[in-house]
Amino acid sequence: SRKNLQPTLEDLLPRILAKREAKTDAGRGAGRGRMPAGAQHARKPIRTTPVRPVHRLDRDTSGLMVVARTVPAERVLGAQFREHTTSRRYLAVAEGAVTAQTFGTADPEAGKKAITHVRPLESFDGYTLVECRLETGRTHQIRIHLSEAGHPLCGEKVYRHAAFQPPSVDRSGAPRLALHAAELGFEHPHTGEPMRFTMPLPADLQSFLARLRNRH
């Protein structure tokens, strides 16, 4: 059944990395001297090395991920995510006027601990661009927290129920789920060096925000 689905990053990344490494090796070989006649036409099969996802993003969510290429690195990085020592910041566009607040529970009888800190960045007519910082990383955590508070994300197709309310209709015109992993921080699994990466909103969400700004 998986053959009928679009490939995931786990499917695509090994071949992308192998092609990049083959190109780098070819450049190094060219720098050492002229290749024998006909060698440039010889094609060696691309050897791929499996990657090991440490965490995941929903299929419609863009942004930063970290994957491991060795078992020891996977173990160290995985421990950081389980212990919530990583830094993760998301950008999202939600319905309604969202105020700064913290969502979540630490009550074991109410479910697993899940805490999301939300801060509004820009307001539109009926929508808010928000920053979400995770203390924990439960499945669909941001989507569920905001939906239960009456602020489902634009482009959301599953979690559109506020507490004790019927599902709402998405009229935002979002091209997809308006959720983007904008910042990721962790310690390098071998050196312990603090690593921090940022990624701006992709073109589709930039265009979506522009349309919201131009609404009257």
Side-chain angles (χ1 to χ4, degrees):
S1 61
R2 183 168 180 171
K3 293 181 179 179
N4 297 324
L5 299 176
Q6 293 179 344
T8 65
L9 183 64
E10 187 176 357
D11 299 323
L12 298 172
L13 190 55
R15 191 166 183 84
I16 293 172
L17 292 173
K19 286 183 176 181
R20 179 178 295 179
E21 290 167 358
K23 185 176 180 180
T24 300
D25 291 342
R28 290 171 181 167
R32 288 194 294 266
R34 186 176 180 181
M35 297 177 66
Q40 64 271 27
H41 300 295
R43 292 190 177 183
K44 295 181 179 180
I46 296 177
R47 298 174 60 184
T48 61
T49 302
V51 296
R52 305 172 185 277
V54 179
H55 66 122
R56 297 183 183 275
L57 296 178
D58 297 336
R59 183 176 290 272
D60 285 343
T61 302
S62 56
L64 294 162
M65 289 181 62
V66 57
V67 298
R69 301 191 67 180
T70 66
V71 172
E74 179 187 21
R75 289 172 180 165
V76 174
L77 290 168
Q80 293 182 43
F81 277 85
R82 288 191 299 274
E83 295 166 5
H84 312 305
T85 59
T86 57
S87 172
R88 282 183 283 176
R89 182 174 66 91
Y90 288 73
L91 297 176
V93 185
E95 295 181 6
V98 184
T99 59
Q101 54 195 298
T102 296
F103 298 104
T105 177
D107 182 358
E109 295 184 359
K112 294 182 179 180
K113 180 180 179 181
I115 299 176
T116 308
H117 303 285
V118 176
R119 181 171 68 95
L121 299 179
E122 186 175 357
S123 298
F124 311 101
D125 183 15
Y127 303 95
T128 308
L129 172 65
V130 296
E131 171 191 88
C132 303
R133 290 190 177 272
L134 300 183
E135 274 195 31
T136 55
R138 305 302 178 190
T139 301
H140 302 167
Q141 177 174 316
I142 294 172
R143 296 166 61 186
I144 293 172
H145 278 162
L146 283 166
S147 177
E148 289 181 345
H151 303 292
L153 300 190
C154 297
E156 177 64 72
K157 297 179 181 178
V158 179
Y159 302 107
R160 301 203 61 83
H161 293 260
F164 309 110
Q165 297 294 324
S168 60
V169 177
D170 182 11
R171 296 185 173 86
S172 68
R176 59 170 171 86
L177 183 67
L179 183 61
H180 176 72
E183 180 179 321
L184 178 61
F186 54 91
E187 291 186 357
H188 192 283
H190 296 305
T191 66
E193 176 187 1
M195 311 289 289
R196 179 178 174 272
F197 302 89
T198 60
M199 182 180 178
L201 284 172
D204 60 346
L205 293 186
Q206 292 276 15
S207 297
F208 174 55
L209 285 178
R211 292 199 300 272
L212 293 181
R213 292 185 181 107
N214 290 332
R215 285 187 178 184
H216 297 289

